[in-house]
Amino acid sequence: MIYNAQHEELLDEIVPLFEEESGLDVELRPGKDLEMANQIVEEGSDSPADVLLTENSPAMSIVDNADLFAPAPAGALETIPAAYVPSSKNWVGFLGRSTVVMYNTDNVTEADLPTSILDFAEPEWEGRVGFSPTGADFRAIVSAVLELEGEDATRARLEGLKANGVILQNNPVVMQEANEGAIDAGIAYHYYWYRDQQESGADSDSSALHFFGDRDPGAFLSVSGAGILKSSEHAAAAEEFVEWLTSTEAQQAMAESYALEYPLNPEATLNPDVKPFDELEPPTVDVSSLNGPRVTELMTEAGLL
């Protein structure tokens, strides 16, 4: 049983490849990052899950901090760069998503955008920048700000965004509103825009992407994680799946899928239309230090949740 908080469509596309190769049957239970992590903590040693997959790493840390993960398979640890593995080595990253700004090209130029994502909290951006605070994506971005800038700066940014930003339902709506010019800019992850470009461009043809650089919190690279539960009754099969998930074969299959997220195995390459992975300038963040529960508390205090 895999508790899957990554995109359901992606796992539905790649799991049959593993089943065909391994001869194993895989059951997927879909859900959301924090929902799945908290459910596993509540279930404890009685959890029916063998593997947890998440979109963003703070949910992995919740389970890891509860000491519910078994050590990650050696083959996976050898394949994925150390930057995308927690210090505990109890889970591994398998995909990355870069924070970006989607901006309306009729309203602003790239030169009009701030030099740091933190500046979007300033009054000059009142009513002009959109974001979706309810999903795990935005919370992961905030978790990077918390780790890099500290609690006071994070609180100030959240209060500024509450006062000046435009709260939207989800990331596709952020993209649509930026494309239509209802907002000048929107904060999300890279793949929403690239995916729309690949399909029709209907929600992205009047916008462009801006990637923050110079290790700014706005250049944060969020990591999707895979971990095996200590309580798994199918530990050997679970290890086989996680090792396969991080293999060049599986990573390349995901790179060529609809998802357009960055594979973390250096041997796999993403669609050439997407900004190359080695051109990103993300800040150095220990994936095991991202504090999802504290982010939720701070966002609630700021009135964003």
Side-chain angles (χ1 to χ4, degrees), residues 97-292:
R97 50 264 296 278
S98 178
T99 309
V100 297
V101 176
M102 305 169 182
Y103 65 96
N104 184 278
T105 52
D106 294 326
N107 292 354
V108 293
T109 67
E110 192 166 20
D112 296 324
L113 298 174
T115 58
S116 171
I117 196 172
L118 303 177
D119 296 334
F120 278 126
E122 298 299 323
E124 67 187 88
W125 284 95
E126 182 177 0
R128 300 172 61 200
V129 60
F131 62 102
S132 176
T134 56
D137 289 356
F138 186 78
R139 296 188 205 187
I141 296 169
V142 175
S143 71
V145 176
L146 177 61
E147 172 65 16
L148 293 163
E149 303 293 332
E151 196 161 296
D152 289 344
T154 303
R155 184 179 289 106
R157 174 180 181 254
L158 293 174
E159 290 172 352
L161 285 175
K162 171 63 176 176
N164 301 314
V166 179
I167 295 175
L168 298 170
Q169 180 181 0
N170 54 42
N171 287 324
V173 174
V174 171
M175 177 173 63
Q176 292 162 6
E177 294 287 281
N179 192 63
E180 293 170 4
I183 54 175
D184 290 344
I187 301 168
Y189 284 145
H190 75 280
Y191 60 88
Y192 293 98
W193 190 90
Y194 283 114
R195 191 183 300 163
D196 189 74
Q197 284 283 296
Q198 189 175 71
E199 293 171 353
S200 68
D203 293 323
S204 61
D205 55 5
S206 293
S207 64
L209 290 191
H210 173 68
F211 288 78
F212 286 107
D214 197 27
R215 315 295 183 239
D216 186 77
F220 171 61
L221 184 80
S222 186
V223 172
S224 295
I228 299 167
L229 279 299
K230 282 183 178 180
S231 58
S232 170
E233 296 182 358
H234 310 94
E239 288 191 9
E240 185 175 351
F241 175 76
V242 172
E243 289 200 345
W244 178 84
L245 188 70
T246 56
S247 70
T248 302
E249 174 194 357
Q251 292 274 292
Q252 192 59 50
M254 287 186 281
E256 294 172 3
S257 74
Y258 91 106
L260 298 181
E261 297 182 57
Y262 290 104
L264 296 181
N265 181 329
E267 298 300 316
T269 56
L270 190 56
N271 185 311
D273 293 333
V274 179
K275 186 180 178 78
F277 188 75
D278 59 8
E279 292 182 11
L280 302 177
E281 298 180 359
T284 300
V285 177
D286 180 352
V287 293
S288 62
S289 67
L290 298 178
N291 190 334

Side-chain angles (χ1 to χ4, degrees), residues 54-78:
T54 64
E55 287 190 6
N56 301 283
S57 63
M60 300 298 292
S61 293
I62 291 174
V63 178
D64 201 7
N65 291 339
D67 195 28
L68 295 174
F69 280 136
L77 293 174
E78 291 169 1

